[in-house]
Amino acid sequence: MAELTVSRVAKTFNGTRVLEPLDLTVGDGRFCCMLGSSGSGKSTLLRIIAGLEDPDAGSIQVGGRDVTRLSVERRNIGFVFQNYALFPHLSVLSNVMYGLRARRTPRAAARRKAGEMLDLVGLGDFGGRSPAQLSGGQQQRVALARALVTSPDLLLLDEPLSALDKKIRGEMQRELKRIHRETGLTTVMVTHDQEEAMDLGDQVMMLDHGVVQQNDTPESMYRAPGNRFVAQFLGGQLLGTGVVRGSGAAARVEIGGLTLASSQDDLLDGDPVEVLVMAERVRIVPAEAPAPAHAATGVLSTIDFYGPFARAEIAAGDLRIPVTMLSQEADALVAGRQVQFVIAPEGLHAFPDARVIPSQ
């Protein structure tokens, strides 16, 4: 186990800057998710950490050891590829043993350690099979066992769940959490899925076009997104431009004929702001319940069911307010009828135009 320190690493491909100089520290035993859309630079950064790409500038330390110019095999880093990269002509056990044999570990010791890793990932009885006889989730577990068998200082995962269906992906998320808990191995995972990052990571770094937008705990990032990009990536929906009335804890946002409370204490009176709302923080007040003092009124324009969840939209003046709720909460609702609703202050995010935060 070891701390990862990335210092001012930058990368350019064919004249295009893919990574602006950035810093990242992942503490010993932490699980960091690098989150971003395609082209954000997250996979490039992961490959630079692994030694599969060279940085144009900056340095990388693992456990206090500078590995910036070391070859892949000398970094003692485990890497799980998006496409698993298993050897089809080798058995599952031989796949897992491969790294140990490359290090000239005696065969008996390599078999024993590989068997332990297969037990860890729940495939102890699958050593004699070929990769072609396994499901996608099982192949991913083999790839994970192969990365762990050499006792790496750092584990890197490149979108390891993206090729799996939803059910298997959920199972593998739980497995990754269990394995991380049992091994305590410092882990960095690349993903474009915000729910996956929030579930697995105790640290999330969000990238956009090679720039760190926020580096925080999942809870802090969700409750206090650093800018509009982060808020939208995490599901915030843009309502439009409003104006701040009041300052600090007493500030309110006027937008589309509504006056809405915010939990932010950094708003200044008179500032124009872009306003986003988290749909799951909007609550429709039941018709039989007394309306809270800060409730607003609108017309339920649409309501759609998605299994256990329902999504709706409320037309309130010039605004279209998104709502996400449990399906049973939507059973009594009828599109076209007037409803009262409340937006929780912590679900409303307001940002001055072009607000950004520095790379961390």
Side-chain angles (χ1 to χ4, degrees), residues 158-217:
D158 189 6
E159 302 215 41
L161 311 181
S162 61
L164 305 177
D165 63 44
K166 185 174 182 180
K167 180 178 181 295
I168 301 301
R169 190 164 64 245
E171 293 175 359
M172 277 302 300
Q173 280 182 228
R174 291 189 290 273
E175 281 297 289
L176 283 174
K177 292 177 77 169
R178 177 186 64 81
I179 291 168
H180 178 256
R181 184 171 60 249
E182 292 183 12
T183 63
L185 185 61
T186 308
T187 302
V188 180
M189 185 178 88
V190 159
T191 179
H192 63 271
D193 187 313
Q194 63 268 34
E195 293 182 6
E196 197 171 276
M198 293 290 170
D199 178 42
L200 287 170
D202 50 40
Q203 176 182 351
V204 177
M205 182 181 75
M206 189 175 293
L207 281 165
D208 180 46
H209 289 90
V211 177
V212 178
Q213 298 296 314
Q214 193 165 351
N215 182 11
D216 219 327
T217 64

Side-chain angles (χ1 to χ4, degrees), residues 167-324:
K167 180 178 181 295
I168 301 301
R169 190 164 64 245
E171 293 175 359
M172 277 302 300
Q173 280 182 228
R174 291 189 290 273
E175 281 297 289
L176 283 174
K177 292 177 77 169
R178 177 186 64 81
I179 291 168
H180 178 256
R181 184 171 60 249
E182 292 183 12
T183 63
L185 185 61
T186 308
T187 302
V188 180
M189 185 178 88
V190 159
T191 179
H192 63 271
D193 187 313
Q194 63 268 34
E195 293 182 6
E196 197 171 276
M198 293 290 170
D199 178 42
L200 287 170
D202 50 40
Q203 176 182 351
V204 177
M205 182 181 75
M206 189 175 293
L207 281 165
D208 180 46
H209 289 90
V211 177
V212 178
Q213 298 296 314
Q214 193 165 351
N215 182 11
D216 219 327
T217 64
E219 296 84 357
S220 294
M221 185 173 287
Y222 177 78
R223 293 171 181 166
N227 56 35
R228 172 181 165 176
F229 175 84
V230 175
Q232 285 190 295
F233 203 99
L234 296 181
Q237 298 190 41
L238 183 65
L239 295 184
T241 302
V243 178
V244 178
R245 299 303 182 198
S247 298
R252 298 291 183 268
V253 177
E254 290 183 355
I255 180 171
L258 301 181
T259 300
L260 305 174
S262 171
S263 62
Q264 293 174 234
D265 59 7
D266 60 347
L267 302 178
L268 299 177
D269 185 48
D271 274 357
V273 287
E274 292 180 305
V275 182
L276 296 95
V277 65
M278 302 303 241
E280 63 275 15
R281 295 293 187 174
V282 181
R283 180 173 64 89
I284 294 177
V285 181
E288 66 278 7
H294 52 291
T297 301
V299 174
L300 188 66
S301 54
T302 63
I303 181 166
D304 299 297
F305 289 87
Y306 297 86
F309 297 98
R311 295 173 183 164
E313 186 177 81
I314 300 170
D318 297 331
L319 303 180
R320 296 296 179 267
I321 311 293
V323 188
T324 297

Side-chain angles (χ1 to χ4, degrees), residues 5-280:
T5 304
V6 176
S7 302
R8 309 309 294 165
V9 163
K11 184 67 178 179
T12 298
F13 285 121
N14 299 322
T16 299
R17 180 61 68 92
V18 178
L19 288 177
E20 298 292 342
L22 60 80
D23 300 324
L24 171 66
T25 298
V26 181
D28 189 4
R30 300 287 298 276
F31 196 126
C32 174
C33 287
M34 294 197 296
L35 178 63
S37 56
S38 297
S40 63
K42 58 190 187 300
S43 290
T44 297
L45 178 56
L46 197 76
R47 291 175 62 83
I48 288 174
I49 295 169
L52 300 171
E53 298 282 355
D54 292 324
D56 296 334
S59 65
I60 300 157
Q61 291 190 348
V62 178
R65 183 172 68 118
D66 192 329
V67 301
T68 312
R69 302 303 169 190
L70 294 184
S71 60
V72 174
E73 61 273 14
R74 294 178 61 198
R75 296 191 183 204
N76 197 32
I77 291 175
F79 197 106
V80 177
F81 294 89
Q82 184 176 356
N83 63 353
Y84 320 142
L86 300 180
F87 301 115
H89 62 290
L90 297 180
S91 68
V92 165
L93 183 65
S94 294
N95 264 281
V96 178
M97 290 172 55
Y98 184 83
L100 293 175
R101 296 297 291 155
R103 296 183 180 194
R104 304 188 184 281
T105 303
R107 180 173 292 275
R111 287 180 65 90
R112 183 174 62 254
K113 184 67 180 292
E116 292 172 358
M117 289 302 103
L118 285 174
D119 286 338
L120 178 67
V121 300
L123 294 177
D125 296 329
F126 289 70
R129 299 192 187 186
S130 72
Q133 294 175 300
L134 304 181
S135 67
Q138 290 169 336
Q139 290 184 44
Q140 190 59 279
R141 292 182 190 214
V142 175
L144 183 58
R146 185 178 60 184
L148 294 172
V149 76
T150 56
S151 301
D153 296 319
L154 176 68
L155 177 64
L156 305 180
L157 309 170
D158 189 6
E159 302 215 41
L161 311 181
S162 61
L164 305 177
D165 63 44
K166 185 174 182 180
K167 180 178 181 295
I168 301 301
R169 190 164 64 245
E171 293 175 359
M172 277 302 300
Q173 280 182 228
R174 291 189 290 273
E175 281 297 289
L176 283 174
K177 292 177 77 169
R178 177 186 64 81
I179 291 168
H180 178 256
R181 184 171 60 249
E182 292 183 12
T183 63
L185 185 61
T186 308
T187 302
V188 180
M189 185 178 88
V190 159
T191 179
H192 63 271
D193 187 313
Q194 63 268 34
E195 293 182 6
E196 197 171 276
M198 293 290 170
D199 178 42
L200 287 170
D202 50 40
Q203 176 182 351
V204 177
M205 182 181 75
M206 189 175 293
L207 281 165
D208 180 46
H209 289 90
V211 177
V212 178
Q213 298 296 314
Q214 193 165 351
N215 182 11
D216 219 327
T217 64
E219 296 84 357
S220 294
M221 185 173 287
Y222 177 78
R223 293 171 181 166
N227 56 35
R228 172 181 165 176
F229 175 84
V230 175
Q232 285 190 295
F233 203 99
L234 296 181
Q237 298 190 41
L238 183 65
L239 295 184
T241 302
V243 178
V244 178
R245 299 303 182 198
S247 298
R252 298 291 183 268
V253 177
E254 290 183 355
I255 180 171
L258 301 181
T259 300
L260 305 174
S262 171
S263 62
Q264 293 174 234
D265 59 7
D266 60 347
L267 302 178
L268 299 177
D269 185 48
D271 274 357
V273 287
E274 292 180 305
V275 182
L276 296 95
V277 65
M278 302 303 241
E280 63 275 15

